[in-house]
Amino acid sequence: MKYIYTALLVAMGMLVSCDQLLDIEPEFTQDAENFFNTPQDYDRALIGAYDLLQTSYLQIWIGEIASDNSIAGGESVNDSQGLHEIESMTHGGVNAELRNVMRFNYAGIARANYIFENRDKIQFEGKDQILAQAAFLRAYYHFTLVTYFGDIPLVVDKRLALSEVTSSQRTPKAQVYAQIEKDLRVAVETLPWTNPEIGRITKGAAMALLGKVLLYQNKNSESAQVLGDLITNNQAGYGLFSDFSSLFYTANDNINEDVFTVQYSGLEGGGYDCFVCLEGNLAVGFHGIRLYNGPFYGDGNSYNLPTRNLYNAFAANDPRRDATVLDIDAFIARQPNSDQISYAVGGGGHTGYYNNKYIKRLNERGLPDDDLTSPLNYRAIRFADVLLMAAEAFQKSGDDGRARTELNKVRARVGMPLINSSGGQLLEDIYRERRLELSGEGFRFFDLVRTGRAADIIAGFQPGKHELFPIPQVEIDLAGGNWQQNPGY
């Protein structure tokens, strides 16, 4: 990712610039207006658009902490205060984490738009593949924004000049979704099933995200068709990894279960002053056990701590329980030298549990500071998620038989009894399975909101308000006050 060398203007007037992203060859001879002279320039710009995927730590944190799955944790209640406000449902328009969601995703959109703005400058073989990957990325960033904030300014095929910021308006989310679908269908039609360069977007990733986008809009028949086609015509060889207990080890990055994965590297260091500059997965170190001294795990910052409610949701014989939630005291008690193992409790809360999917392990650490440089990839969509989304879409479309088939593939992988229910009970079983299978990965809050169950499950959730997060106040100010805040904030 470090080879992109043009500083790109972020929509809403925000500029993300870090020395790590600037590598000018030679210095002072190229700028944004005389770029795109070679195929390599287009590919470098595309890598710049990929780069913003590395802020996935925000999805893991907010998607879990806003739900019943996790608490914020950390050193104190003032450590990442915005996460504690999200946990208690007291968040408002001044929230660092929510502002980062908006500006990082608009940075990604701006970088994708930069490519489309110059799509016709030169012709070369393979340009359609670059444009299709850029279309997917733009769709993903827009989808993230619309699920967080609802109506958002829709900017396509151009960068937003500073003079345009104060006149920009929020676009109805239906129009944003239409653009997302358009971009994803281009990606589906253009991209191959496989790519020799690991981490590049493929046809399967585009189909999976399209199916998800349709499901979020309750276009259940269309979602079932897309996801069903992906499962049936699976030319990429997607499948379920046999050993769930080691699924989230770095040794098992980029396996057949990975449909859309954010790639990380532990070979480049970074600092706390610029999380968007990192090449490693910082969520892993931040999820680590505070001042831990013992085997297998590394120490960390005790963020995003699973709740007892989540731990108890699993059957005792479900192997996903311990693979998802680390019961630290039980783990220590099983060790032969348990009296020599120690850890500390942070002032931001303690549950006794840790996110065991994305956690620092001693043999998986990156370069110092290894809190910030984990090489563990983030699975934005894995095949188990595809199967469960398909099960939901088929059930809601009236096909209980196909829904059970896809649901039971997920349960069979971990040796759990097959489901034989139908109708409303089957749908509840699918929802429950999504929690058991996907907890710790950043999807729980959005699943509860889109299915209308959030108010019954999340403490402090106010219907008519908390379905969306507030627009960051600084963005409203930058837009000259033209944007109305989301209801209730």
Side-chain angles (χ1 to χ4, degrees):
M1 301 298 179
K2 66 182 179 181
Y3 298 111
I4 183 67
Y5 57 82
T6 53
L8 302 175
L9 182 65
V10 179
M12 307 324 119
M14 297 309 301
L15 187 66
V16 175
S17 86
C18 303
D19 290 344
Q20 175 186 348
L21 303 181
L22 303 176
D23 185 9
I24 302 175
E25 300 175 348
E27 288 187 284
F28 313 121
T29 62
Q30 284 189 314
D31 59 27
E33 306 314 318
N34 64 13
F35 195 52
F36 294 106
N37 295 317
T38 69
Q40 290 74 27
D41 289 343
Y42 282 83
D43 196 53
R44 287 180 170 185
L46 178 62
I47 291 170
Y50 270 98
D51 197 51
L52 273 298
L53 291 175
Q54 296 185 62
T55 61
S56 66
Y57 68 93
L58 289 166
Q59 176 71 21
I60 302 175
W61 288 352
I62 295 173
E64 297 297 308
I65 291 168
S67 77
D68 54 337
N69 275 359
S70 294
I71 67 169
E75 182 177 1
S76 72
V77 294
N78 296 317
D79 182 19
S80 296
Q81 181 179 349
L83 295 177
H84 288 273
E85 293 170 353
I86 290 170
E87 174 197 333
S88 61
M89 290 284 125
T90 59
H91 50 276
V94 180
N95 185 290
E97 283 68 36
L98 294 176
R99 187 190 180 197
N100 282 339
V101 169
M102 177 163 280
R103 68 192 187 117
F104 291 163
N105 281 280
Y106 268 117
I109 291 168
R111 293 183 181 194
N113 281 339
Y114 184 40
I115 298 170
F116 284 104
E117 184 179 335
N118 292 275
R119 65 187 302 166
D120 297 323
K121 192 170 182 182
I122 64 171
Q123 300 300 320
F124 59 92
E125 185 178 356
K127 187 172 73 171
D128 62 330
Q129 299 296 305
I130 289 175
L131 294 175
Q133 291 175 64
F136 175 97
L137 293 169
R138 183 168 66 183
Y140 180 73
Y141 296 133
H142 273 130
F143 178 58
T144 300
L145 289 167
V146 80
T147 55
Y148 273 80
F149 303 112
D151 299 347
I152 57 169
L154 178 63
V155 184
V156 295
D157 293 351
K158 68 174 184 176
R159 291 161 291 164
L160 193 65
L162 286 172
S163 60
E164 297 176 274
V165 171
T166 56
S167 62
S168 62
Q169 299 292 329
R170 295 176 68 184
T171 306
K173 65 179 182 180
Q175 291 179 231
V176 180
Y177 269 121
Q179 179 63 45
I180 293 169
E181 290 184 36
K182 179 181 178 182
D183 278 342
L184 290 176
R185 293 187 190 281
V186 168
V188 169
E189 293 169 2
T190 307
L191 294 174
W193 281 99
T194 60
N195 191 309
E197 187 172 351
I198 293 174
R200 295 279 185 166
I201 301 302
T202 61
K203 182 184 187 74
M207 294 177 72
L209 184 57
L210 177 59
K212 182 173 185 175
V213 166
L214 293 167
L215 188 65
Y216 269 57
Q217 298 174 83
N218 290 314
K219 296 181 177 180
N220 299 308
S221 296
E222 293 179 60
S223 178
Q225 181 177 357
V226 171
L227 295 171
D229 187 31
L230 172 57
I231 295 166
T232 302
N233 298 320
N234 179 9
Q235 296 180 41
Y238 300 123
L240 297 175
F241 186 67
S242 59
D243 181 16
F244 194 93
S245 66
S246 64
L247 176 59
F248 286 85
Y249 291 4
T250 57
N252 294 320
D253 277 349
N254 301 311
I255 55 174
N256 64 336
E257 188 155 341
D258 294 340
V259 179
F260 168 34
T261 303
V262 179
Q263 303 289 313
Y264 287 103
S265 170
L267 300 179
E268 183 175 340
Y272 286 82
D273 57 339
C274 186
F275 286 169
V276 73
C277 302
L278 302 177
E279 303 299 332
N281 188 344
L282 74 87
V284 172
F286 273 66
H287 292 168
I289 308 159
R290 183 169 295 273
L291 297 180
Y292 176 76
N293 182 20
F296 195 72
Y297 295 102
D299 73 309
N301 299 317
S302 65
Y303 273 57
N304 192 16
L305 303 174
T307 61
R308 180 177 294 275
N309 177 280
L310 173 58
Y311 185 82
N312 291 340
F314 292 90
N317 65 335
D318 190 334
R320 293 173 297 187
R321 184 189 69 177
D322 293 341
T324 301
V325 182
L326 169 64
D327 181 338
I328 184 59
D329 291 331
F331 171 80
I332 292 174
R334 291 194 298 268
Q335 306 310 308
N337 60 335
S338 59
D339 59 327
Q340 300 176 34
I341 301 173
S342 62
Y343 70 97
V345 174
H350 181 66
T351 63
Y353 303 111
Y354 295 82
N355 185 329
N356 211 13
K357 290 180 175 177
Y358 294 101
I359 192 170
K360 190 197 297 184
R361 301 179 179 91
L362 288 176
N363 65 345
E364 297 179 343
R365 292 175 295 177
L367 296 174
D369 179 340
D370 62 19
D371 278 349
L372 306 176
T373 55
S374 170
L376 183 64
N377 291 343
Y378 173 60
R379 291 180 165 107
I381 303 179
R382 54 188 176 92
F383 195 59
D385 191 4
V386 170
L387 295 175
L388 291 174
M389 287 191 294
E392 181 181 339
F394 279 115
Q395 198 287 321
K396 289 178 175 178
S397 302
D399 190 345
D400 282 3
R402 182 69 186 271
R404 282 191 296 269
T405 295
E406 307 309 337
L407 168 63
N408 284 326
K409 289 177 184 177
V410 176
R411 291 183 63 80
R413 186 255 295 268
V414 289
M416 298 305 291
L418 302 185
I419 296 294
N420 296 310
S421 57
S422 59
Q425 182 58 54
L426 175 58
L427 185 59
E428 289 300 317
D429 290 337
I430 294 168
Y431 289 159
R432 182 174 183 273
E433 199 67 23
R434 285 192 63 81
R435 188 185 193 195
L436 299 178
E437 179 70 25
L438 301 171
S439 284
E441 301 177 44
F443 310 125
R444 174 67 171 172
F445 174 77
F446 303 98
D447 275 349
L448 291 175
V449 167
R450 70 179 179 80
T451 58
R453 297 174 294 144
D456 295 330
I457 293 175
I458 301 174
F461 187 97
Q462 298 178 34
K465 175 181 179 179
H466 287 132
E467 290 84 358
L468 297 175
F469 291 103
I471 300 293
Q473 184 60 45
V474 67
E475 307 298 347
I476 295 176
D477 295 340
L478 286 168
N482 288 332
W483 303 351
Q484 186 175 355
Q485 182 57 275
N486 281 331
Y489 293 104

